[in-house]
Structure formats: structure tokens, C-alpha cells
Amino acid sequence: MTPLDIYVLDAPILRQETTVLSEVTDAHRRLIDDMFETMHIARGIGLAATQVGRLERICVIDIDKVKYALVNPEIVASDGEQSGEEGCLSIPEIYGDVTRAKHVVVRALDRSGKPIEIDAHDLLARCLQHEIDHLHGRLFIDYLSLLKRTAAIKKWRKLRGKDKSLTRTMPPRETAEHHDRDEEL
Ligand code: NI
């Protein structure tokens, strides 16, 4: 498994629509494995293909030791409301409150190409909505008020300083530093 570079805010690919897969191939499964590896090193709980510079409609999630690799995920039902803080591996150290559906039903293919349905509440439901948004070029900061979004982007630019690179390179797992937060998606 190879850790992949994570694209960060300003990278145009984060705003692109992904492509539906007609089948799940070995190459896709390798991408899924690399995405899990990347997400674990970055200590995230979700990662979408656009974040690693790819346009396949694939995302991975790992919440409370339950892992999901989802191909062509689609929300088929949603209800309720929850508000909570979100972060994103593509906008590290920036957080904002986002209101999402409290409950969603998602249909997707798993890594073997088998159709699955996930009935999710709370954090898993939030994570699914965040990752599926990524697969349609949407970021969590899009949901913030203009004022909060502007402040978030300003903070991000300040944290970055002179660094204008569009990717973050993940260190190999052994040397990955531990962050005090573990909830970026
Ligand atoms: Ni994200």
C-alpha cells in the first residue's frame, strides 16, 4: 500500500465532479487500499477520491473500527437534522459547524462490486454526507455563512504562510506524527 498525496484547498480537482464506475476492478481495489493507508496516516475518518487527485467515484470511511469502501455511493433517503463541527483532510486545522441530515440511507457498491445499503445515523451519517459531497466537488466550508467561510479561508491562508503547494505529502506510516485531533474527513 502506498500513501498518496492529499490535495488541499485551491486544488481545482477538489471542485470536480467524479465519474460513476461501471465495475470495480483490481486497479480500483488498489486505489481503495491506498486511500485507506493515506487516511490512516493522516488520522482521518473519511477520504474521497478527489482528495487524492482521482476522479473515480470512490470514498473510504473508518469510524469506530468499522471500515467502508464505497463505490458510486448515493444518498437515497435522508431525514432529521444535526449540527456539529467538521474538519477536512484537504483543509487541515480548519473547523466549522455544519448542519446535516441526522439519518441517511446510502446505496453503493462495495470493494467486490456487490450492491450494499447503509442505514446511518449521527457521525457516520455526517461522514457519508461529507464524503459524498466531495465526490460532487463540494466542501464543508461551502455550507458556512459568507462571513465564517471568509474567516476560515483567511485562517487557512495564514496557517499556510508562503506554502502554495496544492498537495500534502503523507509520511510513511512508521514516522507519521500523531495529531491531537482525529476527526478530519
Ligand atoms: Ni473532507
Side-chain angles (χ1 to χ4, degrees):
M1 288 185 287
T2 316
L4 305 168
D5 286 352
I6 297 181
Y7 284 70
V8 296
L9 190 65
D10 293 341
I13 192 154
L14 292 178
R15 294 306 191 174
Q16 280 187 247
E17 179 72 16
T18 52
T19 307
V20 172
L21 303 189
S22 53
E23 59 173 340
V24 184
T25 65
D26 285 344
H28 296 135
R29 282 183 276 274
R30 277 195 294 278
L31 173 60
I32 287 167
D33 291 341
D34 290 345
M35 286 173 67
F36 271 120
E37 178 75 0
T38 307
M39 176 177 69
H40 289 145
I41 290 172
R43 298 185 66 77
I45 58 175
L47 184 70
T50 48
Q51 294 182 274
V52 292
R54 303 281 293 253
L55 289 175
E56 292 91 338
R57 192 162 297 172
I58 294 174
C59 65
V60 297
I61 290 173
D62 184 347
I63 290 180
D64 297 332
K65 309 282 178 211
V66 184
K67 293 180 184 179
Y68 299 91
L70 303 176
V71 174
N72 304 337
E74 188 185 357
I75 295 169
V76 295
S78 65
D79 60 72
E81 204 176 275
Q82 58 172 324
S83 190
E85 197 177 57
E86 277 184 36
C88 180
L89 291 173
S90 292
I91 322 172
E93 296 176 64
I94 301 297
Y95 301 90
D97 284 329
V98 180
T99 301
R100 304 263 191 195
K102 188 169 174 60
H103 169 228
V104 294
V105 179
V106 169
R107 285 194 194 134
L109 302 177
D110 69 9
R111 61 178 290 131
S112 63
K114 188 171 61 100
I116 53 168
E117 190 171 285
I118 304 171
D119 191 297
H121 294 83
D122 303 317
L123 180 61
L124 179 58
R126 171 178 297 282
C127 190
L128 283 162
Q129 291 169 85
H130 179 116
E131 301 315 327
I132 291 170
D133 268 354
H134 270 302
L135 297 174
H136 299 288
R138 287 190 293 270
L139 302 173
F140 83 89
I141 56 170
D142 301 350
Y143 294 96
L144 305 180
S145 67
L146 180 60
L147 200 69
K148 287 188 174 163
R149 184 165 65 245
T150 305
I153 293 171
K154 200 171 161 187
K155 184 177 174 196
W156 154 255
R157 300 216 187 288
K158 196 172 171 192
L159 282 170
R160 296 242 298 163
K162 290 196 170 61
D163 184 3
K164 297 278 183 262
S165 56
L166 295 181
T167 56
R168 307 163 61 190
T169 299
M170 291 296 112
R173 192 190 277 263
E174 312 79 71
T175 59
E177 64 178 282
H178 284 238
H179 302 279
D180 49 352
R181 311 256 328 207
D182 191 10
E183 46 199 63
E184 288 173 333
L185 307 115

